[in-house]
Amino acid sequence: MNPLEMLKDLGNLKEQLEKAKEELGNIRATGSSGGNMVSVTMNGKFEMLEIHLDPICVDNRDVPMLQDLIRSAHHAAIEKVQEEIKNHLGPMVGGMNIPGLGL
């Protein structure tokens, strides 16, 4: 392949990745635990946007259980965000392993 064409392709890929990076902020995914007693919503940048606690799970006598539910919901949200990123970026990156994205 012509080196100039390779550079052009790399430039196009860079532009596509920059656009995709901007779009990550628009991705939303919610993970839940405890039968939806706790839910966490994150964006594609792995920023926690919202947390919902069912009042039934707020018991000051069992704070460790609530902490476990929050961690579990957060983990579920991360998995869903990673899946959304794969759906959005997968075809563009063509199987390349991009650190931090879990692709």
Side-chain angles (χ1 to χ4, degrees):
M1 179 179 253
N2 181 338
L4 293 176
E5 287 179 33
M6 287 177 57
L7 288 175
K8 182 180 175 184
D9 289 344
L10 286 176
N12 289 338
L13 179 60
K14 183 179 177 183
E15 287 176 20
Q16 290 175 343
L17 287 174
E18 287 298 320
K19 182 180 176 187
K21 186 177 175 183
E22 291 175 18
E23 292 175 357
L24 290 178
N26 296 327
I27 292 174
R28 299 282 187 275
T30 301
S32 64
S33 64
N36 291 325
M37 287 193 308
V38 175
S39 66
V40 172
T41 301
M42 300 178 72
N43 66 15
K45 296 178 182 179
F46 297 96
E47 299 167 334
M48 189 182 306
L49 302 174
E50 183 179 310
I51 185 167
H52 172 75
L53 305 173
D54 187 318
I56 197 166
C57 68
V58 182
D59 182 349
N60 62 357
R61 296 170 293 171
D62 201 0
V63 171
M65 180 209 54
L66 180 57
Q67 292 168 334
D68 288 343
L69 289 172
I70 291 170
R71 274 192 297 275
S72 179
H74 183 254
H75 182 72
I78 288 172
E79 289 178 345
K80 288 183 178 184
V81 166
Q82 288 174 331
E83 189 62 34
E84 287 295 318
I85 290 172
K86 283 181 191 178
N87 291 338
H88 282 79
L89 297 183
M92 183 188 333
V93 297
M96 288 188 291
N97 184 16
I98 300 176
L101 292 182
L103 295 176

